[in-house]
C-alpha cells in the first residue's frame, strides 16, 4: 500500500494589523508598535491650538493608543481657516470635543478623550498627570503662564517626557524634557558599523572551521578556492603573518597595507575572471576588520556612571536598594522597569567586558562570496557564540537580581537582555535637562553661558529661541499692559525688546567674564538687533499660527515623540527652532 502524503498546512499570511502598519513596522518592529499602542498622550492646548492638533494627527495615523485634549476654548470663526479638523458645524462648540471627534476618524483603533477645561483648572491637582505616558504643552498659555513650570517640575519628578511647543507666525520652536536617565538601546545604527567579526580574538569553533576549509587551500579546485568565505581567508593568512612577525597581527597602516598585498598575491588569476572575488573581499576588509575591539566612548561613560558603579566586584553596595527603590517608585517605572533594568544589565555587560576585554558578540555577518552551505555554517557558528555570550550575561543579571535586597517584581526578560547585548556598542544614555523657561530660578549658569556664546554667531538660529523666551516673559510679567489684546503693536514690540535685553544681560552675567562696559553694550546691542526681526514677526502675527508652519512643526514633533515612546532611534536633545522665512531649522542642547 502506497504511503499516504500529508498536505502541509497553508502558510499564514500577515494579519490585518501587519497589513495596516506594514511600512512603519519595518522601522520600529512589533516592539515599537506595541509601545506606541500602549501610550496615552496628553495635549494641553492653548492659543490657536493648531500645532497641537497637527502633532496628534501624526501620532494617530501610526496608531498611538489613546490621547486626551485639554482645551477650554469654543470654536470661533478664526479657527475654521487654520484648523483642518473643524467644520462650519463646529462653530460655538467645544474645540477639544470637535477636534477630538474628527481626529478619531483617522484611525478607528485610537481612543480620544476631550476635556473642556482651562489648563489652570486641570492642573489644580498635578497628580492628574500621573496616568499619561507623555505630555505636550502648547504655548502661549496666556491665562496660566507659570503652569509650564508646574508641569515641568512634576514631569521631572515622575520621569514623564514633556514637550513644550511654540508656533507663532513664521517661526516655531519645541523643547524636550526627558527623564534624568533616558536609555535608548535600539538606536538603529548603520548596519555596516555594527559588524563585529572578532577576527583578532577567534574562538575554538571558528578556528576549527577555518582549519577545515583552508588546510589544503592550494590544492582546492578553482570553484572551491574562489568560494572560501573571506573571513576564513583572513584568519588563515593572519596565522601565516603572525609566524613571521613574532606572533603579532598587522598593527599599523603600513603593516595592513603589506598584509593586503600578501592576500592579493595568494589569489588565482589564471581563471576566466582574471581574479577571485572572495580574495578581493578579504583585502578590502583588512583596514576595517583587523582592529582590536575598543569600548565606545558613550558606553565607557555609562560604565563609569555612578549608577552603574553601585554594583562593584559582583557585590551590591548599600546605596543600591535606595536608588533602585527611588527609580521604581516613579510613575514611569511603575509602568516600565526600563531604568533599573538598564543599570542591572549594564553592570552585567560591564563585568563581561572586564572578563573578556570585549563586548558580547552581536552575531551578524555581512554578505560575502561563498557556497551556501559554508555561509550557513559560518552564520551558525557566529549565532552560537552570540547565544553563548548572552547566556553568560543573563546568568550575571540573575545573580545581580538575587543579590539586590529589593529585586524587580519579575526577572528581567531575556529578550531585553538579548537586545542590549546585540546593540551594546551603540547604546545611548540621554541625560535630560529641565526646561529652560523665562522665569525659572534654577542653577542653569552653564546653559545660559552656552546661549550667550551662541548669540555671538551671526549665522546661528538661537535668536529665534531667545525671542520665544522673551515672548513668554512678556506674558508672565504682570507689570506689562495687555498689549496684544489692545492691538498696540508699538507697546508690544517695546515690551518684547525690553524682555530680550533683560535676557541677554542675564546670559552675559552667567559667563562671569569681566570686559569693557562699552564693548559689552555694543555686543549686546548687536545681539538684540538679530532678535528684533523675529520679534517684529511676532507682533505682526498677533498671536496667530500659520497652518503650514504648524503642520511642518507638528510633523517634526511627532517624529521625536515616536522616538521617545518607542525608545528607538536617538531623539533630539533637546531644543529645535524653525525659521519659516529662510526655511532653516537648527537643534541645540540648552
Amino acid at each position: 500500500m502506497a504511503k499516504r502524503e500529508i498536505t502541509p498546512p497553508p502558510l499564514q499570511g500577515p494579519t490585518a494589523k501587519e497589513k495596516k502598519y506594514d511600512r512603519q513596522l519595518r522601522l520600529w518592529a512589533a516592539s515599537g508598535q506595541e509601545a506606541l499602542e500602549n501610550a496615552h498622550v496628553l495635549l494641553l492646548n492653548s492659543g490657536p491650538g493648531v500645532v497641537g492638533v497637527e502633532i496628534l494627527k501624526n501620532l494617530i495615523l501610526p496608531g498611538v493608543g489613546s490621547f486626551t485634549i485639554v482645551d477650554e476654548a469654543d470654536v470661533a470663526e478664526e479657527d475654521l481657516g487654520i484648523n483642518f479638523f473643524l467644520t462650519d458645524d463646529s462653530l460655538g462648540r467645544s474645540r477639544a470635543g470637535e477636534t477630538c471627534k474628527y481626529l478619531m476618524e483617522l484611525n478607528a483603533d485610537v481612543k480620544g478623550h476631550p476635556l473642556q477645561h482651562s489648563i489652570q483648572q486641570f492642573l489644580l491637582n498635578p497628580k492628574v498627570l500621573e496616568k499619561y505616558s507623555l505630555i505636550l504643552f502648547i504655548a502661549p498659555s496666556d491665562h496660566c503662564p507659570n503652569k509650564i513650570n508646574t508641569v515641568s517640575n512634576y514631569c521631572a519628578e515622575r520621569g514623564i517626557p514633556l514637550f513644550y511647543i511654540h508656533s507663532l507666525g513664521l517661526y516655531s520652536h519645541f523643547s524636550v524634557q526627558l527623564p534624568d536617565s533616558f536609555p535608548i538601546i535600539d538606536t538603529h545604527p548603520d548596519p555596516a558599523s555594527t559588524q563585529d567579526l572578532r577576527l583578532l580574538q577567534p574562538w575554538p569553533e571558528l578556528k576549527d572551521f577555518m582549519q577545515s576549509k583552508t588546510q589544503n587551500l592550494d590544492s582546492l579546485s578553482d570553484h572551491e578556492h574562489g568560494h572560501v568565505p573571506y573571513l576564513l581567508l583572513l584568519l588563515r593568512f593572519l596565522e601565516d603573518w603572525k609566524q613571521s612577525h613574532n606572533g603579532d597581527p598587522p598593527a599599523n597602516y603600513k603593516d595592513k597595507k603589506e598584509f593586503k598585498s600578501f592576500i592579493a598575491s595568494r589569489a588565482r588569476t589564471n581563471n576566466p575572471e582574471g581574479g577571485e572575488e572572495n580574495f578581493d573581499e578579504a583585502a578590502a576588509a583588512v583596514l576595517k576588520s583587523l582592529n582590536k575591539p575598543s569600548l565606545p566612548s558613550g558606553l565607557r561613560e555609562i560604565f563609569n556612571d555612578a549608577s552603574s558603579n553601585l554594583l562593584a566586584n559582583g557585590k551590591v553596595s548599600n546605596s543600591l536598594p535606595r536608588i533602585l527603590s527611588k527609580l521604581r517608585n516613579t510613575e514611569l517605572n511603575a509602568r516600565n522597569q526600563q531604568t533599573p533594568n538598564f543599570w542591572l544589565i549594564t553592570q552585567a555587560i560591564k563585568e563581561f567586558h572586564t572578563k573578556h576585554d570585549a563586548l558580547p558578540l552581536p552575531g551578524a555577518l555581512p554578505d560575502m562570496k561563498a557556497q551556501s552551505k559554508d555561509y550557513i555554517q559560518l552564520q551558525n557558528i557566529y549565532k552560537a557564540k552570540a547565544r553563548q555570550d548572552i547566556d553568560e550575561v543573563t546568568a550575571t543579571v540573575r545573580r545581580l537580581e538575587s543579590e539586590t535586597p529589593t529585586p524587580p517584581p519579575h526577572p528581567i526578560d531575556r529578550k531585553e537582555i538579548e537586545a542590549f547585548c546585540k546593540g551594546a556598542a551603540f547604546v545611548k544614555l540621554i541625560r535630560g535637562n529641565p526646561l529652560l523657561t523665562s522665569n525659572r530660578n534654577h542653577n542653569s549658569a552653564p546653559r545660559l553661558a552656552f546661549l550667550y556664546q551662541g548669540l555671538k554667531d551671526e549665522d546661528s538660529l538661537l535668536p529665534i529661541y531667545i525671542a520665544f523666551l522673551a515672548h513668554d516673559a512678556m506674558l508672565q510679567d504682570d507689570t506689562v499692559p495687555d498689549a496684544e489684546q489692545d492691538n498696540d503693536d508699538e507697546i508690544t514690540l517695546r515690551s518684547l525688546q525690553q524682555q530680550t535685553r533683560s535676557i541677554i544681560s542675564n546670559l552675559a552675567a552667567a559667563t562671569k567674564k569681566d570686559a569693557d562696559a562699552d564693548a559689552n553694550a555694543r555686543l549686546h546691542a548687536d545681539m538684540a538687533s538679530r532678535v528684533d526681526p523675529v520679534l517684529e514677526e511676532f507682533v505682526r502675527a498677533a498671536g496667530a499660527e500659520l497652518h503650514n508652519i504648524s503642520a511642518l512643526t507638528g510633523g517634526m514633533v511627532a517624529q521625536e515623540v515616536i522616538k521617545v515612546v518607542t525608545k528607538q532611534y536617538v531623539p533630539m536633545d533637546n531644543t529645535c527652532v524653525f525659521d519659516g522665512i529662510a526655511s532653516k531649522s537648527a537643534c541645540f542642547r540648552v
Side-chain angles (χ1 to χ4, degrees), residues 207-341:
K207 285 183 177 179
D208 292 344
F209 186 51
M210 180 271 293
Q211 290 290 350
S212 69
K213 302 303 295 184
T214 65
Q215 61 182 349
N216 297 314
L217 186 63
D218 293 335
S219 62
L220 295 177
S221 67
D222 285 348
H223 177 76
E224 292 174 328
H225 196 268
H227 284 79
V228 177
Y230 82 81
L231 298 186
L232 305 184
L233 293 176
L234 284 174
L235 287 172
R236 164 63 189 274
F237 296 143
L238 272 173
E239 289 193 352
D240 295 344
W241 172 278
K242 289 179 182 179
Q243 289 177 4
S244 58
H245 290 79
N246 299 320
D248 296 325
N252 51 46
Y253 180 76
K254 181 181 177 181
D255 286 350
K256 290 178 181 180
K257 190 174 180 181
E258 183 180 343
F259 186 59
K260 286 179 65 174
S261 299
F262 173 67
I263 293 173
S265 69
R266 299 295 301 271
R268 295 179 182 176
T269 57
N270 58 341
N271 53 25
E273 293 80 13
E276 293 176 303
E277 186 178 346
N278 56 336
F279 278 77
D280 293 340
E281 290 175 340
V286 168
L287 293 177
K288 182 174 67 174
S289 301
L290 299 187
N291 297 303
K292 184 179 180 181
S294 60
L295 195 62
S297 59
L299 189 58
R300 184 182 296 108
E301 182 181 346
I302 295 173
F303 280 174
N304 293 334
D305 188 279
S307 301
S308 178
N309 287 318
L310 290 171
L311 298 110
N313 300 319
K315 296 183 179 179
V316 181
S317 74
N318 294 331
S319 56
L320 178 64
R322 174 177 55 81
I323 298 296
L324 292 185
S325 176
K326 179 180 178 181
L327 290 168
R328 291 191 180 102
N329 285 337
T330 65
E331 180 62 23
L332 176 66
N333 291 298
R335 292 191 294 265
N336 185 337
Q337 298 291 327
Q338 179 78 34
T339 303
N341 289 2

Side-chain angles (χ1 to χ4, degrees), residues 268-481:
R268 295 179 182 176
T269 57
N270 58 341
N271 53 25
E273 293 80 13
E276 293 176 303
E277 186 178 346
N278 56 336
F279 278 77
D280 293 340
E281 290 175 340
V286 168
L287 293 177
K288 182 174 67 174
S289 301
L290 299 187
N291 297 303
K292 184 179 180 181
S294 60
L295 195 62
S297 59
L299 189 58
R300 184 182 296 108
E301 182 181 346
I302 295 173
F303 280 174
N304 293 334
D305 188 279
S307 301
S308 178
N309 287 318
L310 290 171
L311 298 110
N313 300 319
K315 296 183 179 179
V316 181
S317 74
N318 294 331
S319 56
L320 178 64
R322 174 177 55 81
I323 298 296
L324 292 185
S325 176
K326 179 180 178 181
L327 290 168
R328 291 191 180 102
N329 285 337
T330 65
E331 180 62 23
L332 176 66
N333 291 298
R335 292 191 294 265
N336 185 337
Q337 298 291 327
Q338 179 78 34
T339 303
N341 289 2
F342 175 82
W343 291 117
L344 286 172
I345 301 173
T346 295
Q347 179 62 25
I349 292 181
K350 182 179 180 181
E351 292 185 19
F352 182 96
H353 184 269
T354 301
K355 178 180 178 181
H356 300 283
D357 195 27
L359 294 172
L361 187 73
L365 279 184
D367 291 335
M368 64 188 72
K369 183 73 173 291
Q371 297 186 75
S372 296
K373 62 181 182 64
D374 291 341
Y375 186 76
I376 291 171
Q377 188 169 351
L378 194 58
Q379 273 187 322
N380 290 336
I381 290 171
Y382 271 81
K383 288 179 180 179
K385 173 59 175 171
R387 286 193 295 270
Q388 179 183 334
D389 289 355
I390 292 169
D391 289 341
E392 182 175 338
V393 173
T394 301
T396 305
V397 170
R398 300 293 177 244
R399 172 177 60 78
L400 295 174
E401 288 174 331
S402 67
E403 293 176 354
T404 305
T406 55
H410 305 287
I412 298 174
D413 193 336
R414 181 183 168 89
K415 289 183 178 179
E416 187 176 344
I417 301 171
E418 181 177 344
F420 202 136
C421 288
K422 289 183 176 180
F426 301 94
V427 167
K428 177 77 172 178
L429 180 65
I430 297 177
R431 292 299 192 181
N433 268 339
L435 287 178
L436 186 62
T437 56
S438 57
N439 68 338
R440 169 173 277 170
N441 183 19
H442 54 65
N443 184 20
S444 56
R447 303 168 72 183
L448 300 180
F450 164 78
L451 291 174
Y452 183 73
Q453 295 300 324
L455 282 174
K456 295 179 180 180
D457 181 0
E458 294 183 0
D459 297 324
S460 173
L461 294 186
L462 271 174
I464 299 173
Y465 180 66
I466 300 300
F468 278 115
L469 287 178
H471 189 266
D472 283 353
M474 184 189 71
L475 294 177
Q476 293 161 2
D477 191 344
D478 294 334
T479 65
V480 176

Side-chain angles (χ1 to χ4, degrees), residues 46-51 78-79 81-83 95 138-140 142 166-172 468 471 475 484-485 487 489 492 534-550 553:
S46 61
V50 179
V51 68
E78 53 267 27
D79 292 321
I82 56 174
N83 192 328
R95 192 167 70 181
I138 309 300
D142 304 56
H166 291 86
S167 181
L168 186 54
L170 287 162
Y171 295 99
S172 65
F468 278 115
H471 189 266
L475 294 177
E484 290 187 341
Q485 297 177 11
N487 290 323
D489 291 352
T492 302
V534 185
L535 302 179
E536 290 168 2
E537 168 61 13
F538 287 178
V539 173
R540 184 201 66 80
E545 294 184 42
L546 297 177
H547 182 269
N548 58 338
I549 301 297
S550 292
T553 305

Side-chain angles (χ1 to χ4, degrees), residues 52-124:
V53 174
E54 289 294 326
I55 297 169
L56 288 181
K57 175 195 74 176
N58 291 292
L59 296 176
I60 291 167
L61 288 171
V64 69
S66 55
F67 66 93
T68 296
I69 301 176
V70 176
D71 191 339
E72 66 175 321
D74 290 327
V75 178
E77 287 278 358
E78 53 267 27
D79 292 321
L80 301 181
I82 56 174
N83 192 328
F84 289 179
F85 291 91
L86 297 171
T87 68
D88 291 343
D89 294 336
S90 302
L91 274 174
R93 298 179 181 178
S94 163
R95 192 167 70 181
E98 289 297 293
T99 53
C100 184
K101 177 177 68 175
Y102 291 113
L103 282 168
M104 284 194 293
E105 291 182 358
L106 297 173
N107 193 334
D109 296 334
V110 177
K111 297 178 181 178
H113 312 280
L115 295 175
Q116 191 173 20
H117 297 309
S118 69
I119 295 176
Q120 189 167 10
Q121 179 186 0
F122 181 74
L123 294 176
L124 287 176

